[in-house]
Amino acid sequence: MNTFLRISIMAVVAAIIGWTTNLLAIKMIFRPLYPVRIPIIGWELQGIIPKRRDEIAANVGKKVEEELISMDDIIEMLAQDENKEKLVFHIKQNVNRIIDEKLPSIVPNFIRQNIFKYTSKSIDEEADKFIESVVKETIDQSEVISIAQMVEDKINSFELITLEEMIISISKKELKHIEVLGGILGFIIGIAQGILMLFLP
């Protein structure tokens, strides 16, 4: 077997090993979903994310509350005039839609329109008071409500398979890059080993 062919085979084999190793490492982040005990040696295998889901959920919730959004941020957003207007608009839309659905079809159109106008006017008049009361109540409850706990509970409520699918869908491209990188590094290492062997007795 000539030298070029030998180095090529070593590079291809090393590339396959590197790619397969990274693929298995990625799979073991998520799998097995539930603990699997290996007989004789007594080891228990479980994916990192399923095994440490509670800890991950708690840390994610904490980071979301500390660095992304807190109850103070939500209260501040609710209190902004622009958001108040959007909220009032959606309230009016939904109220009028419900009225339109519930009113019998025999009710004349001009009566419907007058009802819509009246309810819209009433909402405009009372909306500020309503939103202010909601904001005040939210402020009063802000120490009780925990964004971190809400996020933690939500993550823990996911089925493990759903959590796996969600993480993979978000980081699919990056995970594929890791697999390919394993193959490339393995290929390079295989070539380096082949060249080294030329200089060994």
Side-chain angles (χ1 to χ4, degrees), residues 169-187:
S169 68
I170 292 169
S171 53
K172 189 175 183 180
K173 188 184 291 184
E174 289 76 11
L175 294 175
K176 181 58 69 177
H177 287 167
I178 292 170
E179 289 178 31
V180 173
L181 184 61
I184 292 170
L185 289 175
F187 186 81

Side-chain angles (χ1 to χ4, degrees), residues 8-159:
S8 297
I9 291 172
M10 289 182 70
V12 170
V13 170
I16 292 170
I17 292 170
W19 179 80
T20 305
T21 302
N22 279 14
L23 179 63
L24 285 173
I26 289 167
K27 291 292 182 187
M28 289 184 70
I29 293 172
F30 308 100
R31 299 300 178 105
L33 292 177
Y34 303 99
V36 174
R37 184 169 289 279
I38 301 174
I40 302 172
I41 59 175
W43 286 1
E44 193 175 79
L45 288 181
Q46 188 179 13
I48 295 169
I49 288 178
K51 187 173 184 178
R52 302 182 64 184
R53 179 170 67 168
D54 292 346
E55 184 183 338
I56 292 167
N59 285 330
V60 170
K62 187 178 178 183
K63 285 294 179 184
V64 167
E65 186 170 79
E66 288 178 354
E67 298 181 18
L68 295 180
I69 188 165
S70 65
M71 280 307 300
D72 291 337
D73 296 327
I74 294 172
I75 292 165
E76 189 178 331
M77 285 168 62
L78 282 172
Q80 290 175 0
D81 290 337
E82 183 183 344
N83 290 325
K84 281 183 183 178
E85 288 173 11
K86 287 179 183 176
L87 186 58
V88 170
F89 175 76
H90 286 300
I91 291 171
K92 284 196 285 190
Q93 268 195 327
N94 283 304
V95 168
N96 287 335
R97 178 181 56 78
I98 292 166
I99 290 171
D100 192 41
E101 289 172 357
K102 297 298 181 184
L103 282 176
S105 56
I106 58 170
V107 175
N109 193 51
F110 76 93
I111 294 177
R112 286 173 181 269
Q113 294 304 318
N114 284 334
I115 292 172
F116 293 155
K117 286 178 184 176
Y118 176 77
T119 54
S120 294
K121 183 182 176 185
S122 298
I123 290 169
D124 283 332
E125 289 172 353
E126 299 296 326
D128 276 347
K129 293 178 186 175
F130 170 74
I131 293 171
E132 282 173 14
S133 69
V134 169
V135 171
K136 184 179 181 302
E137 188 176 336
T138 307
I139 291 170
D140 293 339
Q141 295 293 321
S142 62
E143 292 182 5
V144 178
I145 300 170
S146 169
I147 298 290
Q149 190 62 51
M150 289 166 64
V151 172
E152 181 181 346
D153 292 343
K154 188 65 178 176
I155 292 173
N156 283 328
S157 71
F158 290 143
E159 292 287 336

